[in-house]
């Protein structure tokens, strides 16, 4: 068997199938590299051009040209890193996030049209084969697969409800009324989702969900809520919870919120230190009987207008 020939044949087939030989991405006027850079900034948050080049594994000069194009089109902005004055952090402008949303929508529609003829069984076989390919090459690569933050897709909200309910039952002994609460929160979020004021992220690595966080409208004008942050036990200690919260805080600022609030319980003691060092301030406590336990609820707030841009928060425990 000529392995090289088989791979090249598959590459030709796949590039024709999804339109990668076109000058621009399908349903977009962005080039492939511009689209990939936009995706990484939308899902990975602020980063330097050098970090982006390493993530994308592309030539720095080639990436620089793509970034300049995005800047000219006002889709990309650069700002000084508060922690390193000589570094510039790249992020998407509001127009850039709109472009990303349109690109993501168009990409999903195109892939759904490609997958439409396949039955459920064939789709499962396809996904299994794709994961086998990734695992085969990852086995000889010292660098583990990257964790990406992506927008929720159908099925994700049900998974988040299931996993949070299971984990909190195992770790804190909470009963199924907690599951009812988070199902209500996410059901209302999905039913009345406002992309101009809300957002959500699913952390994923190699097809496996590792955590989530949601930015939701608050009860008062200019106030947003950080809700339903969770990280899988196997992914804790990797800084993922902090990354999720940073992403949520940054997005709240982009959308023009003045304040970000969250509600948690005192049993999550590790969260207190992280909230405090992030600039969150404990503003209220109340005892309550919920989820089958006597708990001390806490409300924390972050002033988005005055707090530093390097916000940090807890890795678990918000609702």
């Amino acid at each position: 068997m000529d392995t090289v020939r088989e791979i090249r044949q598959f590459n030709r087939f796949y590039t024709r199938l999804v339109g990668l030989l076109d000058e621009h991405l399908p349903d977009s006027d962005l080039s492939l590299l511009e689209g990939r850079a936009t995706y990484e900034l939308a899902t990975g948050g602020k980063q330097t051009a050098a970090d982006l080049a390493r993530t994308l594994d592309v030539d720095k000069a080639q990436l620089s040209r793509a970034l300049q194009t995005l800047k000219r089109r006002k889709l990309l902005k650069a700002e000084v890193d508060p922690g390193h004055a000589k570094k510039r952090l790249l992020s998407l402008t509001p127009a850039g996030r709109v472009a990303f949303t349109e690109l993501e929508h168009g990409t999903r529609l195109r892939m759904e049209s490609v997958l439409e003829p396949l039955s459920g069984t064939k789709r499962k076989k396809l996904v299994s084969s794709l994961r086998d390919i990734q695992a085969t090459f990852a086995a000889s690569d010292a660098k583990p697969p990257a964790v990406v933050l992506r927008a929720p897709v159908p099925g994700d909200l049900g998974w988040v409800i299931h996993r949070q309910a299971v984990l909190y039952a195992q770790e804190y002994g909470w009963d199924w009324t907690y599951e009812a609460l988070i199902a209500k929160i996410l059901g209302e979020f999905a039913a009345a989702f406002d992309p101009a004021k809300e957002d959500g992220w699913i952390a994923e690595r190699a097809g496996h969900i590792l955590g989530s966080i949601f930015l939701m409208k608050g009860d008062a004008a200019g106030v947003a809520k950080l809700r339903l942050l969770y990280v899988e036990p196997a992914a804790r200690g990797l800084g993922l919870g902090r990354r999720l919260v940073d992403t949520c805080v940054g997005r709240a600022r982009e959308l023009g919120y003045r304040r970000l609030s969250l509600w948690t319980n005192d049993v999550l003691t590790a969260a207190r230190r992280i909230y405090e060092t992030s600039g969150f301030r404990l503003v209220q406590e109340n005892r309550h009987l919920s989820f089958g336990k006597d708990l001390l609820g806490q409300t924390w707030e972050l002033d988005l207008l005055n707090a530093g841009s390097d916000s940090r928060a807890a890795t678990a425990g918000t609702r």
Side-chain angles (χ1 to χ4, degrees), residues 19-57:
L20 292 181
L21 292 177
D22 299 340
E23 182 178 354
H24 297 101
L25 291 171
D27 303 310
S28 171
D29 56 359
L30 297 177
S31 69
L32 178 59
L33 182 53
E34 291 164 4
R36 291 181 64 197
T38 299
Y39 178 86
E40 292 299 333
L41 290 171
T43 58
K46 297 178 181 180
Q47 51 194 290
T48 65
D51 292 335
L52 196 57
R54 284 191 291 270
T55 299
L56 296 174
D57 194 21

Side-chain angles (χ1 to χ4, degrees), residues 118-129:
L118 302 184
S119 65
T121 301
K122 289 185 176 179
R123 289 191 182 204
K124 289 181 180 179
K125 183 178 179 180
L126 172 63
V127 170
S128 177
S129 298

Side-chain angles (χ1 to χ4, degrees), residues 31 33-34 37 61-71 76:
S31 69
L33 182 53
E34 291 164 4
Q62 183 183 9
L63 176 62
S64 178
R65 290 191 291 271
L67 296 178
Q68 288 301 321
T69 299
L70 293 175
K71 287 179 182 178
L76 179 70

Side-chain angles (χ1 to χ4, degrees), residues 293-311:
K293 298 290 181 178
D294 288 311
L295 299 170
L296 178 63
Q298 298 180 331
T299 299
W300 295 75
E301 291 185 350
L302 175 67
D303 183 345
L304 295 171
L305 299 181
N306 298 318
S309 60
D310 189 25
S311 296

Side-chain angles (χ1 to χ4, degrees), residues 42-316:
T43 58
K46 297 178 181 180
Q47 51 194 290
T48 65
D51 292 335
L52 196 57
R54 284 191 291 270
T55 299
L56 296 174
D57 194 21
V58 296
D59 177 72
K60 290 183 179 179
Q62 183 183 9
L63 176 62
S64 178
R65 290 191 291 271
L67 296 178
Q68 288 301 321
T69 299
L70 293 175
K71 287 179 182 178
R72 284 197 301 270
R73 298 181 56 187
K74 302 188 184 305
L75 303 180
L76 179 70
K77 62 181 179 181
E79 56 189 321
V80 175
D81 184 344
H84 304 82
K86 294 183 179 181
K87 291 185 178 182
R88 305 276 286 178
L89 293 176
L90 303 175
S91 62
L92 297 181
T93 64
R97 295 201 68 89
V98 170
F100 165 73
T101 300
E102 293 175 347
L103 175 61
E104 183 75 0
H105 179 68
T107 300
R108 291 198 64 83
L109 286 179
R110 183 177 182 87
M111 292 309 300
E112 285 295 340
S113 68
V114 170
L115 296 171
E116 195 275 333
L118 302 184
S119 65
T121 301
K122 289 185 176 179
R123 289 191 182 204
K124 289 181 180 179
K125 183 178 179 180
L126 172 63
V127 170
S128 177
S129 298
L130 292 174
R131 290 177 178 173
D132 285 344
I133 292 172
Q134 293 181 70
T136 298
F137 285 96
S140 59
D141 188 352
K143 183 174 66 175
V147 177
V148 299
L149 304 188
R150 58 168 177 78
V153 297
D156 284 341
L157 300 190
W159 175 263
V160 169
I161 294 168
H162 164 73
R163 286 301 294 162
Q164 283 212 22
V166 169
L167 289 175
Y168 280 46
Q170 293 173 344
E171 296 174 354
Y172 305 107
W174 292 1
D175 64 23
W176 64 351
T177 57
Y178 179 67
E179 184 172 4
L181 173 66
I182 55 179
K184 182 175 183 290
I185 291 172
L186 283 179
E188 292 176 348
F189 171 72
F193 178 66
D194 182 354
K197 300 231 175 248
E198 299 177 302
D199 216 330
W201 298 266
I202 301 296
E204 183 181 81
R205 179 173 60 193
H208 299 285
I209 292 177
L210 299 181
S212 67
I213 195 170
F214 296 87
L215 176 68
M216 302 185 187
K217 289 181 288 189
D219 300 323
V223 179
K225 290 184 178 181
L226 184 159
R227 310 195 81 172
L228 296 175
L229 168 68
Y230 103 95
V231 174
E232 289 287 340
R236 293 172 188 171
L238 303 178
L240 178 56
R242 179 170 293 176
R243 179 180 167 190
L244 284 164
V245 172
D246 283 350
T247 300
C248 186
V249 170
R251 183 63 171 143
R253 283 200 179 95
E254 288 180 1
L255 294 178
Y257 284 108
R258 295 180 290 102
R259 193 163 72 251
L260 184 62
S261 70
L262 62 87
W263 186 91
T264 188
N265 285 281
D266 73 325
V267 293
L268 303 166
T269 54
R272 179 189 295 271
R273 182 179 68 256
I274 304 175
Y275 288 147
E276 290 175 337
T277 57
S278 301
F280 279 89
R281 183 170 58 93
L282 179 62
V283 297
Q284 185 178 357
E285 291 184 312
N286 64 292
R287 294 200 173 275
H288 61 106
L289 176 61
S290 300
F291 325 132
K293 298 290 181 178
D294 288 311
L295 299 170
L296 178 63
Q298 298 180 331
T299 299
W300 295 75
E301 291 185 350
L302 175 67
D303 183 345
L304 295 171
L305 299 181
N306 298 318
S309 60
D310 189 25
S311 296
R312 297 288 185 263
T315 60

